[in-house]
Amino acid sequence: MATVILARHGRTAANTGGVLAGRTKGVHLDETGIAQARLAAERLTGLPLTAVVTSPLERCRETAKLMAPGLRAVSDRRLLECDYGEWTGQEIKRLAKEKLWRTVQVQPSGARFPGGESLQEMSARVVAAIRARDAAVEDAADENAVWLAVSHGDPIKAILADALGMHLDAFQRIAVDPGSLSVVRYTPHRAFVLTMNSSAGSLAHLASKPRKRRTRSSDAVVGGGAGPATTTTSGTV
């Protein structure tokens, strides 16, 4: 199927101020966040994107505009940040003293934010959105299409955990930094995680068609295979 580049929005004052912004409106990229989005755009040079989809919050829309200035981004509420309810706008250091904090860390599948949604609900929402969008992109273009989705830290971690076949309780092991890019290619039988939390290196090689091989497109190559046709530095997995 198509390949999706998952971009976390650039840094904001809420990130540096230790505040859980959540779905708070009016949170914009700071100077570093703008620089991060512009750097991400450079990494996409030479890569024809089929579509750009973004969380409707300002920090994601600003990132999408900087990353793909020539394309119109489509907002999708399913890519919104987790609804943290009463935790929204609170200082992280204060929230860390709450009993629920421990559950969020060690058993996120059992965590529901007061007045908000559960991490399980958030995960189901964003994973369904990404998989549905990915299938739609392929139907509209072809299986070699590459598209961009701009969202938030926890949603992207949940998408990556699903792609890796991890239980949600392990998703806190995944790091997704502001301005970072992760890449997932979905196939009928499994997802392939190509890049995670990368902040440097061109992704132009994603435009190359996969090497023809005797195995089916959903099969992993035993021994690791030859890799992409073009050798580039695209971050780490």
Side-chain angles (χ1 to χ4, degrees), residues 7-10 25-29 37 52-69 71-76 80 148 150-152:
R8 184 182 173 190
H9 63 79
K25 295 181 179 180
V27 177
H28 300 277
L29 302 183
V52 180
V53 184
T54 179
S55 159
L57 291 177
E58 293 94 337
R59 55 196 188 270
C60 287
R61 289 192 286 109
E62 291 167 359
T63 299
K65 186 175 182 179
L66 289 167
M67 285 187 63
L71 294 175
R72 185 179 71 86
V74 176
S75 293
D76 189 334
L80 270 169
L148 175 68
V150 184
S151 188
H152 308 267

Side-chain angles (χ1 to χ4, degrees), residues 141-222:
D142 59 53
E143 64 181 10
N144 297 311
V146 181
W147 62 289
L148 175 68
V150 184
S151 188
H152 308 267
D154 279 349
I156 294 176
K157 286 164 61 176
I159 294 166
L160 291 172
D162 169 75
L164 289 166
M166 295 168 55
H167 193 281
L168 185 61
D169 285 345
F171 100 130
Q172 299 291 24
R173 300 182 183 188
I174 299 172
V176 176
D177 299 326
S180 67
L181 302 179
S182 300
V183 182
V184 178
R185 185 175 75 244
Y186 292 99
T187 72
H189 298 147
R190 62 171 58 84
F192 290 90
V193 178
L194 307 182
T195 300
M196 287 176 57
N197 195 36
S198 66
S199 58
S202 171
L203 294 183
H205 66 283
L206 294 177
S208 302
K209 293 184 178 180
R211 293 176 182 272
K212 292 183 178 180
R213 61 195 193 198
R214 295 177 181 176
T215 57
R216 295 168 297 178
S217 62
S218 293
D219 290 347
V221 180
V222 176

Side-chain angles (χ1 to χ4, degrees), residues 37-182:
R38 286 175 174 164
L39 175 60
E42 292 178 7
R43 301 179 62 199
L44 302 182
T45 300
L47 179 61
L49 296 174
T50 301
V52 180
V53 184
T54 179
S55 159
L57 291 177
E58 293 94 337
R59 55 196 188 270
C60 287
R61 289 192 286 109
E62 291 167 359
T63 299
K65 186 175 182 179
L66 289 167
M67 285 187 63
L71 294 175
R72 185 179 71 86
V74 176
S75 293
D76 189 334
R77 289 190 58 82
R78 295 175 299 174
L79 297 185
L80 270 169
E81 176 66 283
C82 181
D83 183 354
Y84 297 114
E86 296 173 13
W87 278 30
T88 302
Q90 301 295 317
E91 291 186 341
I92 298 294
K93 63 181 181 181
R94 190 193 70 78
L95 295 174
K97 299 176 183 179
E98 297 283 340
K99 183 178 180 180
L100 178 60
W101 180 269
R102 182 62 178 169
T103 303
V104 171
Q105 299 302 313
V106 301
Q107 191 188 359
S109 65
R112 174 179 292 279
F113 297 97
E117 68 181 336
S118 69
L119 285 171
Q120 192 78 261
E121 290 168 341
M122 178 275 293
S123 175
R125 164 171 59 81
V126 297
V127 168
I130 288 294
R131 287 180 173 270
R133 284 278 183 181
D134 193 80
V137 166
E138 181 176 347
D139 288 342
D142 59 53
E143 64 181 10
N144 297 311
V146 181
W147 62 289
L148 175 68
V150 184
S151 188
H152 308 267
D154 279 349
I156 294 176
K157 286 164 61 176
I159 294 166
L160 291 172
D162 169 75
L164 289 166
M166 295 168 55
H167 193 281
L168 185 61
D169 285 345
F171 100 130
Q172 299 291 24
R173 300 182 183 188
I174 299 172
V176 176
D177 299 326
S180 67
L181 302 179
S182 300

